């Protein structure tokens, strides 16, 4: 890493990738249209088990990580790890037998890994009744977090296959994943809306300029998701994209969810008035989605490891970085005008807020990234009178869900917790805000930054108003001028974060698909506010 990368301002990255590409290309060749349906029963298939949907790692720490794969039939998941891509003297990990109860997906926990090292892994699927019958291995790699101060790079974004804009073969599928892969991050933070269960994908969409947008289509994406099978099909849909599978084989994820994993702007206890749905109970839909979500992403706090099924968690990435993953969806109160003067449940729920305050206080990392699935100061409406996020447009003292955020910000200031930075997606444009108590209706907090970036492959939407309660000063904004602009018109965004191993400086770059760096901000370590 002696040489710099002139295109990013960060360190050059040059790990060996032949094993990754060999595995992903093999998966690509095997993945064809007949696999758009669920796996067939084992007795109806011949040959050996195959992992045609690629591999993925998640929640990687200094010594551990989760590896995910999906089989085409009932199979035993076996993972081997090694220090090099030649796989001399590999360590073998016997994973679960996968079957229809998990949609043939499985995760294997890797422990005792060396810190700060490139880990090469391969997943082999074996016939559980005859272990000698194995499929072709699929390869992946990731870097464990360092024990000592070493530079860190991660990317973040969200919102994939939204508003009917799916995998378009004319664009090469999801090109943003290839751009992100080339930056070779330590991990990718997906801020939510990993699927759009409420957005059917049709074969063709006529564009305003007279051109036609084409989509890869599947049966499960032809309607809104209601059954467990349909939710599973939504997660499988994105894995049809070769660029995404290649990205997954090289870059581990830290993933959270938001509303479109279930449906737009949902909250617990909601009863739908939507003719597209025969299932009107949102809690039933959310439970089915969470099960599919836990099957298709390697997340350390979801079943089978954690029976509570928490999406919120902290992922520790060495001495420079802790990532606090929030869930602003599962514990919130109903969307409302948000003017109540007392609101203990808020958007996080009482238990999650207590957890977050405790874990922030315990953190010794230089930077505490708060991965929020919704923005703080942008006013996100839900209909004519209600609001979907935290802010509700009243610039005065905190009301409604703002009360919880005020309590959290007060806690950060009074405990002198340094290095908190907020990252989010959700609103389908990109912007950066510095929150300043001198500008705010509520003043008992230290200044902090919030960075917004997305979507990855969804409709673009215009800028939103800012609520003055926490004093946001918008330093950058790029947004389309009309609603639901297609990805072919641009407006697809992701963010890049580099933490310098020597100085500890954290640099954020807001990037647009196509290579442009739109905005750069460097923050100094060791400060309560910036």
């Amino acid at each position: 890493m002696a040489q710099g990368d002139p295109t990013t301002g960060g360190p050059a990255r040059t790990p060996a990738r032949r094993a990754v590409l060999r595995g992903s290309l093999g998966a690509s060749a095997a993945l064809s249209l007949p696999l758009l349906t669920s796996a067939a029963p084992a007795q109806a298939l011949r040959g050996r088990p195959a992992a045609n949907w690629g591999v993925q790692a998640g929640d990687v720490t200094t010594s551990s990580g989760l590896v995910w794969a999906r089989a085409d039939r009932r199979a035993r998941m076996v993972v081997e790890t090694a220090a090099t891509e030649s796989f001399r003297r590999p360590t073998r990990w016997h994973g679960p037998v996968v079957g229809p109860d998990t949609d043939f997906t499985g995760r294997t926990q890797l422990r005792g890994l060396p810190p700060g090292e490139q880990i090469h892994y391969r997943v082999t699927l074996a016939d559980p009744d005859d272990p000698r019958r194995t499929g072709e291995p699929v390869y992946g790699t990731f870097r464990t977090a360092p024990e000592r101060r070493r530079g860190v790079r991660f990317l973040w974004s969200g919102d994939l296959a939204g508003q009917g804009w799916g995998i378009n073969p004319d664009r090469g599928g999801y090109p943003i994943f290839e751009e992100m892969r080339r930056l070779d991050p330590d991990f990718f933070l997906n801020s939510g809306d990993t699927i759009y269960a409420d957005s059917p994908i049709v074969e063709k969409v006529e564009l305003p300029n007279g051109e036609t947008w084409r989509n890869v289509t599947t049966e499960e994406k032809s309607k809104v998701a209601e059954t467990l099978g349909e939710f599973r099909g939504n997660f499988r849909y994105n894995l049809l994209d070769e660029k995404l599978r290649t990205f997954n084989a090289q870059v581990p994820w830290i993933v959270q969810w938001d509303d479109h994993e279930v449906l737009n702007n949902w909250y617990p206890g909601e009863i739908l008035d939507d003719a597209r749905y025969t299932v009107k109970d949102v809690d039933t839909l959310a439970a089915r989605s969470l099960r599919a979500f836990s099957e298709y992403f390697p997340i350390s706090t979801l079943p089978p490891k954690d029976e509570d099924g928490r999406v919120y968690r902290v992922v520790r990435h060495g001495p420079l970085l802790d990532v606090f993953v929030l869930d602003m969806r599962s514990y919130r109160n109903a969307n409302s005008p948000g003017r109540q003067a007392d609101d203990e449940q808020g958007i996080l729920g009482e238990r999650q807020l207590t957890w977050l305050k405790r874990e922030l206080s315990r953190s010794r990392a230089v930077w505490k990234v708060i991965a929020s699935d919704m923005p703080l100061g942008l006013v996100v409406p839900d209909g004519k009178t209600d609001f979907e996020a935290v802010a509700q447009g009243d610039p005065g003292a905190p009301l409604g869900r703002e009360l919880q955020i005020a309590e959290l910000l007060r806690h950060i200031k009074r405990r002198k917790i340094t290095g908190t930075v907020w990252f989010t997606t959700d609103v389908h444009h990109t912007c950066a805000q510095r929150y300043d108590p001198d500008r705010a209706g509520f003043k008992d907090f230290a200044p902090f930054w919030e960075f917004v970036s997305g979507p990855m492959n969804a409709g673009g939407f215009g800028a939103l108003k800012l609520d003055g309660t926490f004093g946001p000063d918008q330093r950058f904004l790029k947004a389309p001028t009309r609603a639901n602009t297609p990805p072919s018109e641009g407006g697809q965004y992701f963010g890049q974060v580099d933490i310098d191993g020597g100085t500890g400086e954290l640099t954020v770059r807001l990037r647009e698909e196509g290579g442009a760096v739109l905005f750069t901000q460097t923050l100094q370590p060791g400060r309560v506010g910036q």
Side-chain angles (χ1 to χ4, degrees), residues 493-509:
Y493 306 107
F494 66 95
Q496 173 186 336
V497 180
D498 288 285
I499 305 176
D500 187 279
T503 66
E505 289 181 340
L506 182 148
T507 300
V508 179
R509 294 176 176 86

Side-chain angles (χ1 to χ4, degrees), residues 364-422:
R364 296 297 176 263
V366 174
W367 294 101
K368 293 89 173 170
V369 161
I370 301 177
S372 171
D373 46 299
M374 300 215 73
L376 298 184
L378 295 172
V379 181
V380 185
D382 181 20
K384 295 182 179 180
T385 61
D386 295 342
F387 296 93
E388 157 72 352
V390 175
Q392 24 61 347
D394 183 337
L399 295 170
R401 293 169 178 165
E402 293 172 337
L403 291 163
Q404 261 194 350
I405 302 304
E407 181 180 346
L408 173 63
L409 296 179
R410 184 188 297 114
H411 173 83
I412 291 171
K413 176 187 174 183
R414 294 185 177 182
R415 292 295 184 94
K416 295 182 171 56
I417 299 171
T418 61
T420 58
V421 191
W422 294 68

